[in-house]
Amino acid sequence: MRLKTLEDVFAYAEAEGIELRLDGAETQVRRPQASRPGRRAFVSGKRKQNTIKSTTFSDGQGRMLLAGVIRPGRMHDQTAVRTEGIAEQFRLRPRVKAKVDSGYAELAKEFPDQVSAPPKKPKDETCDGERRAWREGRRRQSSARICVEHTNAELRQWAPLRRFTGRRETYAETHRTAGSALLTTRTCGRPRCSMRWWGSAMRVRTRRSPGRFAAIASGRTASLAMPRPAATSR
């Protein structure tokens, strides 16, 4: 089963009683020409580069449910929560719970019974006992949320998701394809090491055949499982 929209993810989490994990990621993209409008929209304040951000959803075991919510690198995670409808889904489905990082602190403040964020750092004048309790609470929350970080790291095995050299308008399609191929790999039980070769194969196919690349994005990824052809001597 593949979840294609935010509504599918939240409906599945509510029906199965799954606690979601959310995490954002950034991919470096090419810098537009100086004369193009909207050039600053992709400049990330965190990385000081032109980037595109995405949001990954996973369950407690690190299985990816959805990789999407693509937006310019200048947009903060909390802004994307409101503009892309994530906060609205929490409002519509009050039984869904999630663990997030400090970038979604406002979301946790708005939905304290549903969203768990790392505890705030205590002030300098607090006692040592409170500081130890803060560190322990932060460690436990991070341990419960680290699985979505691993999912993002697995997606970053694909070179186009580390530094995308194509047109920014086609990045969303590339990101969907990577998620589709990762789900296919796990479903079919293929070894994870093959992901690196898949990434190189997709880079070549992206340059040579955009139409075939779109077919792969729609879920027809069987051609990627074929072994590489043997070299022929001339």
Side-chain angles (χ1 to χ4, degrees):
M1 181 179 64
R2 294 187 179 182
L3 309 176
K4 298 183 179 180
T5 62
L6 284 175
E7 291 79 3
D8 294 342
V9 172
F10 279 81
Y12 174 73
E14 186 178 35
E16 299 294 332
I18 293 175
E19 188 175 24
L20 298 175
R21 270 70 170 173
L22 281 72
D23 188 51
E26 291 186 87
T27 301
Q28 183 181 355
V29 295
R30 294 188 301 178
R31 186 175 65 175
Q33 296 179 357
S35 58
R36 294 190 62 180
R39 188 186 186 199
R40 297 182 58 188
F42 290 85
V43 178
S44 170
K46 178 180 179 181
R47 297 183 58 177
K48 310 301 180 184
Q49 295 174 334
N50 284 260
T51 63
I52 290 180
K53 289 183 178 179
S54 60
T55 303
T56 303
F57 296 80
S58 77
D59 59 7
Q61 299 180 5
R63 293 176 297 191
M64 186 182 66
L65 303 178
L66 181 69
V69 194
I70 308 299
R71 70 264 188 196
R74 193 178 184 87
M75 183 181 295
H76 193 272
D77 292 340
Q78 185 60 36
T79 306
V81 162
R82 302 189 181 282
T83 58
E84 301 296 336
I86 298 177
E88 183 64 23
Q89 289 299 317
F90 278 109
R91 191 173 295 108
L92 294 175
R93 302 184 184 276
R95 291 189 297 172
V96 176
K97 299 183 182 299
K99 292 188 180 297
V100 297
D101 61 8
S102 56
Y104 299 92
E106 291 297 324
L107 182 66
K109 186 177 181 180
E110 183 177 357
F111 302 97
D113 297 331
Q114 297 177 254
V115 183
S116 170
K120 292 183 64 175
K121 185 177 181 180
K123 297 182 179 180
D124 295 337
E125 59 270 14
T126 55
C127 63
D128 294 340
E130 292 185 8
R131 286 185 171 275
R132 285 194 295 268
W134 168 73
R135 285 194 292 266
E136 179 63 19
R138 189 177 182 87
R139 184 191 66 81
R140 290 187 178 184
Q141 204 273 349
S142 178
S143 297
R145 192 186 52 82
I146 194 65
C147 54
V148 70
E149 301 277 0
H150 294 164
T151 303
N152 266 334
E154 194 167 10
L155 283 171
R156 290 308 181 272
Q157 290 184 14
W158 302 70
L161 297 190
R162 293 194 299 269
R163 185 176 185 275
F164 188 67
T165 58
R167 296 181 64 87
R168 293 179 302 184
E169 294 80 3
T170 63
Y171 177 79
E173 182 182 1
T174 305
H175 200 92
R176 287 194 302 268
T177 304
S180 176
L182 177 59
L183 289 173
T184 302
T185 301
R186 289 186 169 182
T187 303
C188 299
R190 301 188 183 108
R192 295 185 180 184
C193 60
S194 63
M195 292 281 292
R196 295 184 182 276
W197 178 77
W198 283 30
S200 61
M202 285 180 57
R203 286 202 307 277
V204 174
R205 294 177 185 187
T206 305
R207 301 191 194 103
R208 297 180 180 177
S209 179
R212 189 176 183 183
F213 186 69
I216 298 172
S218 64
R220 299 190 295 273
T221 56
S223 61
L224 287 177
M226 298 176 60
R228 281 176 282 186
T232 56
S233 59
R234 296 183 178 179

